[in-house]
Amino acid sequence: MTDHYPLRDGIVHCEDVPLPLIAREVGTPVFVYSTAAMQDRARELTAALSPLDNPLIAYAVKANPNAAVLTTLAAEGLGADVVSGGEYRRARAAGVAAEKIVFSGVGKTAAEMAVALEGGLCQFNLESVPEAEMLSEVAQSMGRVAPVAFRVNPDVEAGSHAKISTGAAHNKFGIPIGDAPAACARVRELPGLKLRGLAVHIGSQLTSLSPLERAFEKVGAMIARLRTEGHDIATADLGGGLGLQYDPSAPTPPTPAAYGAMVARVTRGWNVRPIFEPGRLIVGDAGVLLTEVIRVKPGATCPFVILDAAMNDLMRPSLYDAWHGIDAVAPNGQQIVADVVGPVCETGDTFAVARKMDQVGPGDLTIIRTAGAYAATMGSTYNSRPLTPEVLVNGSDWAVVRERQDVEAFLRDESIPNWLARAS
């Protein structure tokens, strides 16, 4: 895959834009995204799945919901996998066609169901019979018929981090696959619902195709059974989950081509429209978090490199013990071993421990790599730190696509109750 963050004249660029230029104009920390990287990944996956029968690639909006990112991917023909009313509205505003939207999520509310029914969608992925009953009531009240699929839990361990594994029996997602016949029979009794298929998603950041293949085989067997019971199964949502190589020393994840070949082999004869929900795979490598070194502080075993980015900007290392590459924007050829941390008052505000990395000092710029997915979208204002801006690069052009939050907004958005105002 093309490196969209090349080192040119000793400076890291995003496509044709030197990162120090963005740092000067926007400040740090700031997320930077490469348009070409997202397009390359989208086209690679589209090509890998093209032998299948009319596949729908519904980008998982939760990975990175920025409006400019969604618009870029909509222009590539991708649909959207949404898990909230807000994500549904974002997808539609970005130009995603209603018939390319899949509404997933374990806790859909009646209000969210109504939003999607009013605007249209490909299907709801139901997570339980009570959810089906609620959707039936909402659809009847609106005079609509809701297209639905049941998300089944195949009890397959994904082999990824426990907090992003979703297909084991103890996970909160879906119904046990053995309960699918009874659940689908119940849907047939409910007015306002039209069963379209089954859905499965066993987790994120998968680095092996084996668990996916086991899950898909179970789904295929259940599709065959449901058809013998008179159900018209037209779609099979196979989820997403293909991982990225955050750590170059870790095993190389499967390629989209290998994934597509496996899906084609396993689903041969299913006679369904396959649906896919990639997120991280499309946008993860496209983004970096550009940050400045505040100072280097001596430590007990190695120095602390203290950045102006923190866990509220990029939670993955704190939340998942996730590994991210960290490089100087203008490397000098020297290396150090350091703990890389942020300024938030938590020991968990640590990006790397005893990391061999480029030598940096106060005022130097660094990038935290593979920060295009599950990064800005999970940001917070902990320690009253403003939300981080986002920049999209397209060749030699670039634009701020989310402004840095104004610290004064914290005060504008909060109010003092009358009894406290009187007391002061």
Side-chain angles (χ1 to χ4, degrees):
M1 189 175 177
T2 302
D3 181 8
H4 297 289
Y5 288 90
L7 186 67
R8 293 181 186 149
D9 300 323
I11 300 293
V12 176
H13 288 57
C14 177
E15 300 188 22
D16 297 326
V17 178
L19 291 181
L21 172 63
I22 294 175
R24 286 195 302 271
E25 296 291 329
V26 184
T28 56
V30 54
F31 286 101
V32 181
Y33 308 130
S34 161
T35 296
M38 291 186 282
Q39 290 172 332
D40 283 358
R41 275 296 195 181
R43 293 167 187 175
E44 182 184 14
L45 184 60
T46 298
L49 299 175
S50 61
L52 302 174
D53 184 15
N54 190 28
L56 170 59
I57 302 176
Y59 165 71
V61 173
K62 62 182 176 289
N64 188 324
N66 184 279
V69 169
L70 296 181
T71 303
T72 298
L73 299 179
E76 292 296 315
L78 271 58
D81 168 59
V82 305
V83 295
S84 71
E87 287 190 351
Y88 178 88
R89 288 188 171 97
R90 279 182 174 272
R92 295 293 285 128
V96 178
E99 63 271 17
K100 290 185 175 183
I101 296 180
V102 175
F103 204 136
S104 303
V106 73
K108 307 176 195 71
T109 66
E112 290 174 321
M113 292 171 176
V115 167
L117 278 172
E118 181 66 31
L121 76 169
C122 172
Q123 66 185 35
F124 291 95
N125 285 348
L126 300 175
E127 300 261 357
S128 66
V129 170
E131 181 185 331
E133 292 167 347
M134 174 185 281
L135 181 57
S136 172
E137 293 176 0
V138 174
Q140 285 185 86
S141 72
M142 298 176 64
R144 303 293 179 92
V145 175
V148 302
F150 253 111
R151 178 172 178 174
V152 294
N153 187 319
D155 194 20
V156 172
E157 292 283 358
S160 58
H161 192 283
K163 291 184 179 179
I164 52 176
S165 176
T166 60
H170 61 273
N171 295 136
K172 69 179 181 180
F173 298 95
I175 60 172
I177 193 166
D179 293 350
C184 292
R186 176 61 177 145
V187 165
R188 190 155 47 190
E189 299 171 350
L190 293 172
L193 301 186
K194 170 62 176 175
L195 181 67
R196 289 176 51 83
L198 294 183
V200 67
H201 177 67
I202 65 170
S204 185
Q205 186 50 24
L206 274 68
T207 56
S208 169
L209 294 179
S210 296
L212 289 167
E213 184 167 350
R214 291 197 301 273
F216 297 167
E217 287 172 344
K218 290 187 176 187
V219 170
M222 183 53 66
I223 288 174
R225 176 177 171 180
L226 291 173
R227 283 177 171 156
T228 66
E229 297 177 4
H231 296 289
D232 180 16
I233 305 300
T235 65
D237 187 334
L238 301 180
L242 275 189
L244 298 176
Q245 192 163 20
Y246 288 88
D247 183 347
S249 68
T252 303
T255 64
Y259 173 75
M262 181 273 289
V263 172
R265 173 170 48 81
V266 174
T267 63
R268 188 173 295 114
W270 283 18
N271 192 28
V272 295
R273 184 186 192 190
I275 299 172
F276 303 91
E277 304 171 3
R280 181 194 316 270
L281 182 71
I282 303 294
V283 296
D285 283 331
V288 299
L289 177 55
L290 177 59
T291 176
E292 183 177 310
V293 177
I294 298 173
R295 65 182 60 90
V296 178
K297 171 185 171 181
T301 56
C302 56
F304 292 101
V305 172
I306 303 173
L307 306 178
D308 63 2
M311 64 185 287
N312 71 295
D313 305 305
L314 178 62
M315 284 191 64
R316 296 191 71 257
S318 176
L319 190 61
Y320 306 130
D321 295 320
W323 198 101
H324 285 262
I326 302 173
D327 296 308
V329 169
N332 61 14
Q334 303 299 309
Q335 291 197 311
I336 58 172
V337 175
D339 292 348
V340 184
V341 302
V344 158
C345 290
E346 296 274 354
T347 301
D349 184 26
T350 299
F351 294 113
V353 175
R355 175 71 61 83
K356 186 176 182 180
M357 59 178 290
D358 295 325
Q359 183 185 66
V360 291
D364 289 343
L365 296 174
T366 68
I367 52 171
I368 302 179
R369 293 186 180 270
T370 324
Y374 303 104
T377 184
M378 298 173 72
S380 76
T381 58
Y382 188 44
N383 281 196
S384 291
R385 289 170 53 85
L387 291 176
T388 310
E390 297 168 85
V391 165
L392 181 66
V393 175
N394 184 30
S396 60
D397 295 326
W398 64 276
V400 176
V401 293
R402 182 177 75 172
E403 296 286 346
R404 190 180 306 278
Q405 187 180 29
D406 185 350
V407 176
E408 293 302 315
F410 297 140
L411 300 179
R412 288 196 301 268
D413 293 343
E414 298 171 13
S415 59
I416 304 298
N418 290 338
W419 67 87
L420 290 176
R422 287 195 301 267
S424 62

